[in-house]
Amino acid sequence: MTVYYLGAGASANSIPIISEINVKLKEAIELLKSSKLSILVKNPHYSSNYELLLNIWKDIQDKLPRYPTIDTVLYNLQFHSDPNQFYHGKLALECLFNFWEWKSHVDIRYKGLIASFYRLINSNKQLNKPITIISWNYDIQVERSLCYMLNIKLSEIENYINGDPKNLSHNKLNLIKLNGTIDLHLASHLRRSSKESLDRAFNHFVKKIDSSSQSTIRFAWERPENEAEISTLAAQIKQCNSIVFLGYSFPNFNAEYDVKLIRDIETKRIVLQTKIDQNRLAHPQLISELSKLKSNLPPRYFKHDLFQIEYDISSFHVPIDYA
């Protein structure tokens, strides 16, 4: 089995990364303020939902400079005296990522990666070898790429993807999303204009509040059952052939889960693919990231060059022993 471990940088060509989120969020807020949302034209009483979303996005924007990520802003909301603050905050975050996803393109690097996973045998689309993708991202770039490359509809995706971390598949692409996901069933709205994407994202936000529906974003730290899932997943990937880290910065707030997942890995090769230029190898952030990862690896990795860093991110790494 080959394992991919995805962070926000893996989707940076389509979805804003941490350093860009405040600017992109400001643009979304300005668009929200200037747009004539269809549901408000038909039902003016939804203006309270509009004010709610606008205020939450503004609150996130104000707090972001004091927090390492947008996730940790939401983490703080769970301690608010009003439990609806956290509930509405997650729906507003889901709305924001829906908006960004729906108006974005599919990163061609994901398309290339997915293409390398499959072959056609007697008209059947089959994985070359077992693959597990562990992602901290909410986006659906992997799912969209799978549909594009295999020429299938999102409604068919469950026939090709397994999301159960307790029972990895050898026949389906395992996609384990540690923080949940935006809503796949709404992806018929993809690749629309910014205004139309925002309009549909807001409609979805309103409907979820009206029906008291939960967000499909479920942070790793808010799920009691996640402890057992992580342990089971770690046991299943322990002896993978290769593990590739794509666009991941090993942030402190994920450290508990990262350590549990990678500390006992007995893989043949570990690859860290990063956009940080080789000439900046002394960059404190990169040194910190590598030290966290290396501290969990036995010395044999460094004696036999089994640990490597790739600085070229024009395409995602495919281990030579996979094809």
Side-chain angles (χ1 to χ4, degrees), residues 14 24-25 32 56 66 68 77 107 212 216 252 285 307:
S14 299
K24 297 295 184 181
L25 178 53
L32 181 63
I56 294 174
R66 303 192 300 276
L77 287 180
D107 189 334
S212 300
T216 49
N252 290 329
Q285 180 185 356
F307 178 92

Side-chain angles (χ1 to χ4, degrees), residues 5-11 17 137 244-250 272-275 313 316:
Y5 208 88
L6 272 56
S11 298
I17 56 174
N137 300 337
V244 182
F245 293 89
L246 297 179
Y248 193 57
S249 59
F250 307 98
L272 174 63
Q273 198 167 9
T274 174
K275 70 175 183 178
I313 60 168
F316 290 150

Side-chain angles (χ1 to χ4, degrees), residues 101 106-107 110-115 117-118 125 140-161 173 175 184-185 187-188 190:
E101 182 78 49
V106 180
D107 189 334
Y110 278 111
K111 292 179 182 177
L113 187 65
I114 294 297
F117 293 164
Y118 287 87
K125 301 151 186 171
I140 55 172
Q141 290 284 302
V142 172
E143 294 93 327
R144 290 174 65 186
S145 299
L146 189 69
C147 291
Y148 184 88
M149 297 309 297
L150 299 186
N151 193 27
I152 60 174
K153 298 177 180 179
L154 274 165
S155 58
E156 303 173 79
I157 202 80
E158 292 181 0
N159 296 325
Y160 296 88
I161 283 182
L173 177 68
L175 179 58
L184 264 177
H185 302 291
S188 59
L190 293 169

Side-chain angles (χ1 to χ4, degrees), residues 307-321:
F307 178 92
Q308 67 184 85
I309 307 172
E310 288 195 2
Y311 299 94
D312 181 3
I313 60 168
S314 57
S315 62
F316 290 150
H317 178 89
V318 178
I320 196 168
D321 59 352

Side-chain angles (χ1 to χ4, degrees), residues 47-90:
S47 59
S48 60
N49 298 103
Y50 166 82
E51 294 295 335
L52 175 64
L53 180 62
L54 185 61
N55 288 335
I56 294 174
W57 280 4
K58 285 180 176 179
D59 186 52
I60 292 174
Q61 184 189 30
D62 290 342
K63 290 178 177 176
L64 262 177
R66 303 192 300 276
Y67 288 81
T69 69
I70 201 167
D71 301 9
T72 47
V73 174
L74 270 291
Y75 183 85
N76 178 260
L77 287 180
Q78 70 177 321
F79 303 112
H80 199 281
S81 57
D82 180 2
N84 282 328
Q85 287 284 324
F86 183 54
Y87 168 68
H88 289 148
K90 283 209 302 179

